[in-house]
Amino acid sequence: MGEMEKLRKEAESLKDQITAARKAVQDLTLQDHTSGTSVVGRVQLKIRKTLRGHLSKIYAMHWGGDTKLCVSASQDGKLIVWDTCTTNKVHAIPLKSSWVMTCAYAPSGNMVACGGLDNMCSIYNLKGKDGNVKVMRELAAHTGYLSSCRFISDSEIITSSGDCTCCLWDIETGTQKTIFAGHLGDCMSLGMAPDFNTFISGACDFTAKLWDIRDGQCRQTFAGHESDINAIGFFPNGNAIITGSDDASLKLFDLRADQELMTFQDSSIMCGVTSLAPSFSGRLLLAGYDDFNCNVWDTLKAERVGSLAGHDNRVSCMGVTGDGMACCTGSWDSFLKIWN
Amino acid sequence: MSNNSANNSLVLLQKTVKQLRLEAGIRRIKVSQAAADLKTFCLLNANKDPLLMGVPSNDNPFRPPKSCALF
């Protein structure tokens, strides 16, 4: 098996090359660069609204573009679209499968999507002619649970799955356009780049990957976490990504320097990160944890500057509005809360 | 080990090496440059960050301004 041995040696050599190349550009650390910057003052966000209505654990929520509408998914078998200013339920959509793990709002506001243990991504048209919300498409091909989904437009959506792949779908035809394979563990989360040309995925192989949507290639892989990556998102300028893991830490990786710049952890935090969202400027990093809390971090200083305590069970999901006006947290306690 | 699974391992390893070659070949900028850009972005947009600056009640869509109505 000379061929195998040659390839294994080449793989090891390439990994060493990547490590060396990353080190070669490490002329300064982010912490060195911000040593003169003062930590932001204590951030004390208050609960402005509590969205009541779900009868079971909430697993996911997603804001509707630049609006104050959001969609939430609960294992009570419902998707609810909320007007968060009035707390009114705009739509309450019953699901075929109650084992939902993710939901998404299309940027246009015309559709929502969800999926979970049914291995499918179901697309719902909110603007149907008769006013009823119906299933528009059922995207079925994944051989594992649907962990996350994000719309690119009304005609394309990206999904991540427990089958270790992500997929780009044509919603109109209900077919797979591109399969993004490479992770060695369940894909748990995905994040869309602000310019919609790339996306990132976090997986149970402890790595995050950056994918080119059009050519299907994995461009970069980021290792460093010591456990599953449950949450992932882009820094607002699109040049860095943030990951949250079961190893109780968050990490900031810069895409152009191709390496980790910061770790957000504290010896007093011993439970996994479930969700994360940067504030509008990226200066604040909000993160939800298994211990029912959320922490607010100063992104440039890696110091904790606040916490959001208000849920009686795990915080499973969170998101910041497009204009940065508020943060929404969703919990296993069946409530969503709006903070600012 | 059957021929088929040996072939599969080979194909997998070839794919892994191909991917590693791709990732090794990307252009990287200096961390000092990356750090500077991150810091600049944060500072430039700080004023437009409501969660950072705080939201006055009048401008808060989640908090109707207090009015007193007795009827």
Side-chain angles (χ1 to χ4, degrees), chain A residues 103-122:
Chain A
C103 63
Y105 217 128
S108 65
N110 294 333
M111 302 169 183
V112 290
C114 69
L117 294 183
D118 58 357
N119 297 2
M120 288 193 316
C121 182
S122 301

Side-chain angles (χ1 to χ4, degrees), chain A residues 145 147-148 158-166 180 182-192 199-211 220-223 225 227-234 241-246 253 274 276:
Chain A
Y145 59 85
S147 53
S148 190
I158 301 224
T159 56
S160 64
S161 168
D163 68 10
C164 308
T165 69
C166 296
F180 304 89
H183 274 299
L184 301 173
D186 300 13
C187 293
M188 297 300 292
S189 49
L190 69 89
M192 191 64 70
F199 76 93
I200 44 179
S201 59
C204 291
D205 60 6
F206 311 173
T207 71
K209 283 178 182 288
L210 174 78
W211 305 88
Q220 288 168 264
T221 301
F222 300 95
H225 276 297
S227 189
D228 302 354
I229 294 177
N230 299 318
I232 200 165
F234 272 88
I241 70 173
I242 306 158
T243 53
S245 166
D246 269 346
F253 296 92
T274 60
L276 63 87

Side-chain angles (χ1 to χ4, degrees), chain B residues 1-69:
Chain B
M1 203 195 216
S2 81
N3 230 8
N4 222 4
S5 66
N7 264 350
N8 283 346
S9 305
L10 187 65
V11 168
L12 207 60
L13 201 46
Q14 281 169 338
K15 278 192 183 158
T16 304
V17 168
K18 190 169 174 217
Q19 180 60 38
L20 282 169
R21 276 193 204 127
L22 206 147
E23 291 182 25
I26 66 163
R27 212 184 124 260
R28 294 170 182 82
I29 67 169
K30 294 235 182 281
V31 172
S32 55
Q33 176 71 60
D37 289 351
L38 277 175
K39 180 173 147 188
T40 305
F41 185 88
C42 284
L43 298 180
L44 275 181
N45 288 287
N47 288 339
K48 297 187 238 161
D49 189 340
L51 294 179
L52 186 62
M53 307 303 300
V55 190
S57 314
N58 297 344
D59 301 332
N60 194 345
F62 299 100
R63 209 179 173 193
K66 286 192 160 65
S67 59
C68 207

Side-chain angles (χ1 to χ4, degrees), chain A residues 26-87:
Chain A
Q26 210 175 68
D27 54 344
L28 204 67
T29 65
L30 177 56
Q31 253 151 340
D32 291 333
H33 197 84
T34 57
S35 58
T37 314
S38 25
V39 183
V40 302
R42 185 124 198 100
V43 169
Q44 281 169 318
L45 303 182
K46 295 200 172 69
I47 298 172
R48 301 298 177 193
K49 302 285 178 193
T50 297
L51 307 179
R52 291 165 224 275
H54 279 301
L55 304 172
S56 184
K57 296 174 173 167
I58 291 172
Y59 273 79
M61 68 78 48
H62 192 213
W63 285 102
D66 290 326
T67 69
K68 298 295 181 287
L69 299 173
C70 74
V71 62
S72 60
S74 162
Q75 295 209 342
D76 63 3
K78 289 242 170 28
L79 272 190
I80 299 182
V81 177
W82 310 82
D83 176 331
T84 58
C85 292
T86 61
T87 74

Side-chain angles (χ1 to χ4, degrees), chain A residues 25 31-32 49 57 63 68-69 99 137 152 173 181 197-198 209 219 257 262 279 287 292 311 321 327:
Chain A
V25 294
Q31 253 151 340
D32 291 333
K49 302 285 178 193
K57 296 174 173 167
W63 285 102
K68 298 295 181 287
L69 299 173
W99 304 112
R137 283 290 174 276
I152 295 176
T173 60
N197 287 332
T198 59
K209 283 178 182 288
R219 296 248 161 264
M262 202 74 108
S279 69
F292 313 176
H311 284 290
T321 59
C327 165

Side-chain angles (χ1 to χ4, degrees), chain A residues 62 102-107 111-115 120-124 137-139 142 146 148-160 166-172 174-178 180 190 192 199 213-214:
Chain A
H62 192 213
T102 181
C103 63
Y105 217 128
M111 302 169 183
V112 290
C114 69
M120 288 193 316
C121 182
S122 301
I123 314 283
Y124 293 83
R137 283 290 174 276
E138 282 175 339
L139 309 174
H142 278 302
L146 206 84
S148 190
C149 55
R150 282 293 177 261
F151 284 90
I152 295 176
S153 66
D154 281 1
S155 52
E156 288 182 316
I157 191 169
I158 301 224
T159 56
S160 64
C166 296
C167 184
L168 168 68
W169 302 81
D170 179 324
I171 295 176
E172 207 40 49
T175 56
Q176 290 177 300
K177 272 179 152 169
T178 313
F180 304 89
L190 69 89
M192 191 64 70
F199 76 93
I213 293 178
R214 294 309 148 198

